[in-house]
Amino acid sequence: MVNIYDTANQLANDLRETQQFTALKEAMEAVKADPDSLALFKELDAAQMEIMEAQSTGKELTQEQQDHFASLNSRVGQNKTLQNMLLAEQAVYTLLNDVQKNIGQPLSEAYEDLRKA
């Protein structure tokens, strides 16, 4: 019998060796090495957590929070080091989405077969 968790663990290990993940790790190291980029990342991360918390509790963001986030996004857009990291992160998520489609294919096929019945 197949142990799907062993396969998932191997997939996680394989992900670490992809070009996309390697590029992300290198971009993260560049952010760590630049104090301005690191501070901006930490500010962005905190703001994103604040937004996610508000969304999960159904709270509206204050105008001050919205203005802060807009200003923060503008500053992030001007920081090449952080931009490179975000682009590398997007590449990893694209890869993960592609893998998810492959993993979900048997389920999609099963439902498609049910629809045809």
Side-chain angles (χ1 to χ4, degrees):
M1 179 137 210
V2 172
N3 183 342
I4 199 163
Y5 295 103
D6 288 341
T7 305
N9 288 329
Q10 183 60 52
L11 182 59
N13 288 331
D14 290 347
L15 174 65
R16 289 179 180 94
E17 295 181 28
T18 64
Q19 181 267 331
Q20 292 90 335
F21 189 79
T22 301
L24 176 58
K25 291 295 284 182
E26 290 171 1
M28 288 176 165
E29 290 301 320
V31 169
K32 284 183 194 177
D34 178 27
D36 291 337
S37 295
L38 183 58
L40 189 55
F41 166 76
K42 288 180 179 183
E43 187 178 349
L44 176 65
D45 191 48
Q48 288 174 331
M49 291 297 170
E50 191 175 319
I51 289 169
M52 288 181 3
E53 182 179 326
Q55 289 175 336
S56 70
T57 60
K59 293 181 182 175
E60 292 288 324
L61 293 176
T62 66
Q63 187 61 48
E64 182 180 338
Q65 288 171 312
Q66 291 176 29
D67 292 345
H68 176 252
F69 197 65
S71 169
L72 184 56
N73 278 333
S74 176
R75 289 185 290 144
V76 167
Q78 296 171 10
N79 184 296
K80 190 78 168 162
T81 305
L82 200 47
Q83 278 295 305
N84 287 340
M85 187 192 83
L86 295 174
L87 288 172
E89 178 184 62
Q90 184 60 47
V92 170
Y93 280 116
T94 297
L95 176 63
L96 290 174
N97 284 334
D98 291 345
V99 169
Q100 175 63 35
K101 287 177 188 174
N102 288 337
I103 291 170
Q105 189 63 33
L107 187 59
S108 295
E109 290 170 356
Y111 275 104
E112 188 60 33
D113 185 55
L114 180 60
R115 287 181 189 102
K116 292 178 181 177

